[in-house]
Amino acid sequence: MPELPEVETTRRGIEPHLLGKTIDALVVREPRLRWPVPPDLPAKLRGLIVRSVRRRGKYLLLGTDAGTLILHLGMSGSLRIVSPEAPLRKHDHFDLLFGYGSCLRFHDPRRFGCLLWTESDPKAHPLLASLGPEPLEPGFTGRYLQEKARGRSLAVKSFIMDSQVVVGIGNIYASEALFRAGIAPNRAAGRISLSRYEKLADSIRTVLEASIEQGGTTLRDFVNEAGHPGYFRQILAVYERAGEACRRCGSGIRSGRLGQRATYWCARCQK
Ligand SMILES: [Zn+2]
């Protein structure tokens, strides 16, 4: 599933191809995405210029003078810059065509992605309004986490995966960040000290930034019609390593379910 680093890498990959460019047409081949693509969207977009390519959580926001396109990659979506004549693959659900003979093509076998439109502040859109802070922006600190967790008995891993607490921490990144911070995933969120939350906030940033950096090396895949947009993985410390030796202490990595999600941790390194 595309997580925050993949979405940010996609954003960086498509931005130079879209900024300042005029939308010639939107061609929708399959409007039945997670939410239907609005039927009047092609008429609304024609002739608009893309002024900004931003990200909020895992949403991509393409700003124009008339409103903002809200895109989400869902479970299996990807975007590529292709020539408008590039042969269609199955599950290529829409094309955004630009005057200079290029095309932003959306591919999504499971159709959990979306393409929506708002003429108001996109941050006030129902999908975005309740999102917590961005983990890579200055408002995200150990103190913020500790205050938000006060009195809560929820497991810390579920807590940091809640997009109303902080956006974009998927299962892999939650497991890896908790390992780096030395915090057991099932520890009650309200019973973690400030200094440990500071370490956790740092670990979350480190893990996400390392992934985004690694994504930069695969950036070409997002703009190459031949390439499959490969989602990337940094060297993982615990995720999907059940039974293997902890890279720090050598004891076996444990696995279990927590909040219906597979969870991996080292019982010696994480308390
Ligand atoms: Zn260990």
Side-chain angles (χ1 to χ4, degrees), residues 209-228:
E209 275 166 359
S211 232
I212 291 169
E213 204 168 298
Q214 193 183 350
T217 64
T218 61
L219 208 66
R220 220 168 291 123
D221 292 347
F222 288 92
V223 293
N224 178 349
E225 58 198 64
H228 180 267

Side-chain angles (χ1 to χ4, degrees), residues 179 245-253 265-270:
F179 173 78
C246 171
R247 299 193 200 279
R248 189 178 294 163
C249 76
S251 57
I253 299 297
W265 72 100
C266 171
R268 196 182 290 173
C269 293
Q270 294 173 255

Side-chain angles (χ1 to χ4, degrees), residues 37-231:
V37 178
D40 58 349
L41 197 51
K44 279 188 168 159
L45 294 182
R46 198 166 305 128
L48 294 178
I49 297 170
V50 177
R51 301 289 187 192
S52 60
V53 180
R54 290 173 294 156
R55 178 187 59 75
R56 177 73 177 104
K58 297 205 292 184
Y59 291 92
L60 287 166
L61 307 175
L62 273 49
T64 74
D65 293 329
T68 304
L69 273 174
I70 302 176
L71 275 96
H72 196 286
L73 301 177
M75 310 280 285
S76 58
S78 59
L79 287 165
R80 292 180 307 155
I81 301 286
V82 297
S83 147
E85 290 82 38
L88 285 170
R89 299 176 300 168
K90 204 179 172 188
H91 311 301
D92 281 345
H93 301 314
F94 67 79
D95 285 354
L96 203 51
L97 295 155
F98 294 91
Y100 64 108
S102 191
C103 164
L104 179 70
R105 182 165 286 173
F106 179 72
H107 178 84
D108 185 6
R110 296 185 63 183
R111 291 195 278 118
F112 278 100
C114 73
L115 177 66
L116 298 170
W117 171 252
T118 179
E119 290 171 7
S120 319
D121 177 4
K123 289 185 175 146
H125 189 276
L127 289 171
L128 279 74
S130 64
L131 295 179
E134 289 286 331
L136 299 177
E137 287 180 9
F140 180 68
T141 61
R143 185 168 296 280
Y144 164 80
L145 281 175
Q146 192 199 31
E147 278 169 13
K148 196 84 182 167
R150 189 163 294 152
R152 298 189 66 176
S153 56
L154 179 71
V156 62
K157 177 165 176 262
S158 307
F159 173 69
I160 59 171
M161 287 178 67
D162 177 351
S163 64
Q164 297 194 14
V165 172
V166 54
V167 296
I169 316 291
N171 200 27
I172 299 174
Y173 299 108
S175 297
E176 293 294 309
L178 286 164
F179 173 78
R180 291 183 75 99
I183 299 172
N186 63 348
R187 176 162 289 274
R191 295 180 58 90
I192 294 173
S193 68
L194 176 58
S195 63
R196 300 185 81 202
Y197 265 131
E198 280 169 348
K199 199 162 182 198
L200 181 56
D202 279 347
S203 300
I204 288 170
R205 270 191 292 271
T206 303
V207 168
L208 292 175
E209 275 166 359
S211 232
I212 291 169
E213 204 168 298
Q214 193 183 350
T217 64
T218 61
L219 208 66
R220 220 168 291 123
D221 292 347
F222 288 92
V223 293
N224 178 349
E225 58 198 64
H228 180 267
Y231 294 120

Side-chain angles (χ1 to χ4, degrees), residues 251-268:
S251 57
I253 299 297
R254 307 268 186 95
S255 69
R257 308 288 293 180
L258 185 63
Q260 282 100 53
R261 305 302 300 271
T263 294
Y264 302 86
W265 72 100
C266 171
R268 196 182 290 173

